[in-house]
Amino acid sequence: MKNKVEICGINTSTLPKLSSADTEKMLMDLKNGDLSKRESLIVGNMRLVLSVLHRYVPRVGNLDDIFQIGCVGLVKAIDNFDVTLDVRFSTYAVPMIVGEIRRYLREANGIRVSRGIRDVAYLALTARERLKAEGEEDVGLDKIAERLNMPISKVAFCLDSINEPISLNEPAFSDGEDTTLLMDQISDKTNTEEKWIDNVSLADAISRLEERERKILKKRYFEGKTQTEVSVEIGISQAQVSRLEKNAIGSIRAYFS
């Protein structure tokens, strides 16, 4: 992490390493009421937070804040881990840490997500990990929704709401020379190439009309005025306005035929 060793006053190079066996034993002791193991578990698993922190180095300025939030996720994982499940603690803890950091980043930016939605998303992430721990190979939204007894659409919406916003200027692909941005991959149904060509052709057709015909079309179709109002402004009869308008439209249709 850009050679940063000390985070939040902690020398990360000196953090202890707990083996899986030691972690399991201490978690069991904690479950049985030995609260002295809690702090040792937190310190001994801080390297899990560091491993997650690498993902956010390019996007956040203050790693100390993110590290602290990640530790909150670690503590929640320790307090809520079910020792009866046949799953490694790290498998359960890492998604909890990631989820806590994502929630923090989501709340820290301009997009606000209600507490209820975030809580459902948190439950969905937890349910997914528990289903995996129970041996489910393909854990989809349908199984998560069934476990939570919620509609699939609600689970999908809540999970999507906690995803980090991505800038449209984010690179989607690069071959070393040319970079394709995300905005380049988004389809625009309102400004297709065909419509753009049609608009250019229409502008060219209008430019070929006589000046008075162009003025009438502008006032009628761009300014929304009636033929009577146009006749007063231009100084001709309403019948003449009607005739010139029809001639202009006929010329444009002929241009496209």
Side-chain angles (χ1 to χ4, degrees):
M1 291 180 294
K2 297 182 179 179
N3 301 319
K4 182 168 184 177
V5 176
E6 186 172 299
I7 300 180
C8 296
I10 300 173
N11 188 341
T12 57
S13 64
T14 63
L15 285 174
K17 296 180 181 179
L18 281 180
S19 65
S20 296
D22 289 338
T23 298
E24 290 177 12
K25 184 179 183 306
M26 294 174 72
L27 283 167
M28 187 65 71
D29 292 341
L30 179 62
K31 186 73 173 179
N32 292 330
D34 188 355
L35 299 181
S36 64
K37 296 295 191 296
R38 189 168 183 265
E39 184 176 350
S40 298
L41 278 168
I42 294 172
V43 176
N45 285 281
M46 280 186 178
R47 290 182 180 274
L48 288 177
V49 180
L50 291 176
S51 67
V52 172
L53 208 60
H54 283 282
R55 309 179 190 182
Y56 300 93
V57 171
R59 288 178 283 174
V60 298
N62 194 335
L63 290 178
D64 290 349
D65 289 346
I66 303 302
F67 179 75
Q68 292 182 61
I69 297 300
C71 287
V72 172
L74 173 62
V75 172
K76 287 184 177 180
I78 292 173
D79 291 343
N80 293 283
F81 183 68
D82 188 346
V83 296
T84 63
L85 296 178
D86 185 20
V87 61
R88 294 181 62 178
F89 173 71
S90 59
T91 303
Y92 175 77
V94 169
M96 296 279 282
I97 296 169
V98 171
E100 201 67 32
I101 292 175
R102 284 181 172 175
R103 275 192 293 277
Y104 169 78
L105 293 176
R106 169 71 74 175
E107 293 174 359
N109 61 33
I111 300 177
R112 293 288 181 264
V113 179
S114 72
R115 179 66 181 270
I117 292 176
R118 287 188 279 112
D119 287 345
V120 171
Y122 177 78
L123 290 173
L125 292 173
T126 303
R128 181 173 61 187
E129 294 306 314
R130 292 191 180 278
L131 285 168
K132 288 181 179 179
E134 293 169 6
E136 293 283 352
E137 295 183 359
D138 184 17
V139 182
L141 288 175
D142 55 340
K143 294 181 180 179
I144 295 175
E146 183 180 355
R147 173 62 63 92
L148 298 178
N149 193 26
M150 293 181 182
I152 294 180
S153 58
K154 181 176 181 179
V155 174
F157 174 79
C158 294
L159 284 174
D160 186 58
S161 69
I162 64 171
N163 287 332
E164 293 179 64
I166 300 177
S167 171
L168 292 178
N169 291 311
E170 188 88 8
F173 170 78
S174 177
D175 60 4
E177 296 181 358
D178 296 326
T179 300
T180 301
L181 304 180
L182 284 176
M183 67 172 63
D184 299 326
Q185 305 297 304
I186 299 176
S187 174
D188 184 356
K189 296 181 180 180
T190 61
N191 292 291
T192 62
E193 182 178 354
E194 292 79 8
K195 288 188 176 182
W196 182 81
I197 292 174
D198 287 344
N199 289 338
V200 172
S201 299
L202 178 60
D204 185 52
I206 293 176
S207 68
R208 296 170 182 267
L209 300 175
E210 295 182 359
E211 182 179 355
R212 190 160 59 171
E213 291 176 336
R214 291 200 303 270
K215 185 178 294 186
I216 290 173
L217 289 184
K218 178 182 177 182
K219 292 183 178 298
R220 287 279 291 124
Y221 295 97
F222 291 93
E223 297 178 11
K225 295 183 178 180
T226 64
Q227 289 184 346
T228 301
E229 291 173 330
V230 174
S231 67
V232 172
E233 291 188 18
I234 296 181
I236 59 177
S237 67
Q238 184 269 330
Q240 287 179 297
V241 170
S242 177
R243 178 177 57 80
L244 290 170
E245 180 181 334
K246 289 181 180 178
N247 289 341
I249 293 174
S251 297
I252 293 174
R253 285 177 178 170
Y255 178 84
F256 281 97
S257 63

